[in-house]
Amino acid sequence: MKTLYVSDLDGTLLNSDSKVSRRSAEILSQLSSKGALITVATARTPATVEPLLADVASTVPAIVMTGASLWDRVNKCYFDTRFIDAATSRSVRETAARYGVDPFTYTLGDNGILDIYRNGTIAPCVRNFIDERSHLPLKRFHLDTPEGDDYALPRTVLFFAMGKPDKIFPLADELRATIPCSVSSYLDIFFDDTAIIEVLAPGLSKADSVKKIAKRYDAKRIVTFGDNLNDLSMMEIADVAVAVDNARDEVKRAADIIIGTNDEDSVARFIADDFSAMQ
């Protein structure tokens, strides 16, 4: 039975050094050469996905920005991107401002470059986030600019923010209750005192994109791998939902199978065994 394998990145396929190990890359590339359908679903953008997967020779599109777009790994381009309309953008920014949250606004230009706007105070965790990504070729940060004050920038694909849980989680709850958008909120996997929120166009999620790719490749079986709350949607629609042993308890409870940790090449080894068994 043709199977689509979809793994989260951080905390799942990536090890504790935030890398795909050499062994995992070798296993996944070998399986892909034999016809295995393997891809990732991540909150990350192609700017970081491409370097991380540089040694993984899969041609299946990647699900990026939690499902806001798909990324063609062969032709290096976005497709099936959904934008947030102006009215929704204004409502999201106005609500965030009431909670003292300054989100990053991700906009996608016709040139395939993400222009990311943010105005406001920069906390240390935000500064680290910017510094780690400011040199990447597929995105540009614009900090404290007049454009960043625009609550309805054109071609907005994502609002992203990090901050204290006592601000982020109530903000997420209000957005879900009052605004037509898709909202994901969860604790950072590295720092339990930092929460993350992602706001997308209505109806978007990792699950939605997984189903699109499964249909594209006529895959009749879906196996997903995750560790955090934003993986739950794709685990719910999977035929086999797999959690790594370092996953949050909520994710483990939702899983059909729990494998080893992200430092043990567990995802790659599971796919190898499963793919062999399905042949």
Side-chain angles (χ1 to χ4, degrees):
M1 183 182 298
K2 188 181 288 188
T3 300
L4 174 64
Y5 299 97
V6 185
S7 179
D8 172 56
L9 279 179
D10 291 275
T12 306
L13 182 59
L14 302 187
N15 59 25
S16 295
D17 293 327
S18 295
K19 296 179 180 179
V20 179
S21 76
R22 179 178 299 178
R23 181 58 182 149
S24 285
E26 290 173 351
I27 293 172
L28 297 178
S29 295
Q30 290 170 1
L31 292 171
S32 294
S33 71
K34 296 177 181 178
L37 300 174
I38 302 170
T39 191
V40 299
T42 178
R44 289 176 176 267
T45 72
T48 55
V49 170
E50 275 302 310
L52 289 169
L53 298 184
D55 296 324
V56 179
S58 170
T59 59
V60 180
I63 298 165
V64 296
M65 295 182 285
T66 316
S69 187
L70 300 179
W71 174 254
D72 185 332
R73 295 202 61 216
V74 177
N75 296 305
K76 309 301 182 193
C77 63
Y78 291 91
F79 70 100
D80 199 25
T81 304
R82 289 271 301 278
F83 297 100
I84 303 172
D85 65 68
T88 300
S89 293
R90 290 191 189 94
S91 297
V92 170
R93 288 287 302 274
E94 288 167 358
T95 305
R98 286 197 285 102
Y99 284 87
V101 174
D102 299 309
F104 290 93
T105 302
Y106 286 62
T107 69
L108 181 59
D110 292 330
N111 57 1
I113 302 296
L114 279 174
D115 284 300
I116 305 169
Y117 298 88
R118 188 185 186 282
N119 290 5
T121 303
I122 298 180
C125 64
V126 176
R127 172 51 63 189
N128 290 339
F129 178 85
I130 295 169
D131 289 346
E132 289 172 357
R133 293 159 173 80
S134 59
H135 65 287
L136 298 172
L138 293 175
K139 63 170 56 173
R140 296 180 297 215
F141 286 96
H142 306 271
L143 306 177
D144 291 319
T145 64
E147 292 84 358
D149 286 327
D150 185 350
Y151 276 21
L153 285 167
R155 296 177 62 85
T156 293
V157 292
L158 168 71
F159 291 105
F160 170 89
M162 55 181 66
K164 296 297 182 183
D166 61 357
K167 289 186 177 181
I168 294 295
F169 290 139
L171 168 60
D173 289 340
E174 180 169 341
L175 290 176
R176 291 189 188 100
T178 62
I179 298 174
C181 56
S182 295
V183 181
S184 180
S185 59
Y186 50 94
L187 289 173
D188 186 271
I189 66 169
F190 299 110
F191 307 104
D192 278 345
D193 62 346
T194 300
I196 290 170
I197 184 171
E198 299 151 358
V199 183
L200 316 173
L204 295 184
S205 66
K206 287 185 177 182
D208 176 69
S209 294
V210 168
K211 289 188 286 187
K212 289 178 183 177
I213 292 178
K215 182 177 181 180
R216 179 186 180 96
Y217 287 90
D218 195 30
K220 304 302 183 185
R221 179 171 174 263
I222 297 171
V223 179
T224 63
F225 304 83
D227 76 305
N228 211 335
L229 300 185
N230 64 337
D231 300 319
L232 290 175
S233 71
M234 69 175 182
M235 294 176 71
E236 288 172 359
I237 58 95
D239 296 286
V240 182
V242 183
V244 287
D245 195 46
N246 52 284
R248 296 201 176 275
D249 289 341
E250 300 95 323
V251 178
K252 289 183 178 180
R253 288 194 291 268
D256 299 306
I257 298 171
I258 299 174
I259 57 177
T261 71
N262 62 325
D263 284 321
E264 300 173 278
D265 301 309
S266 301
V267 170
R269 291 191 292 109
F270 182 95
I271 295 175
D273 290 343
D274 188 80
F275 183 73
S276 177
M278 296 300 294
Q279 299 308 297

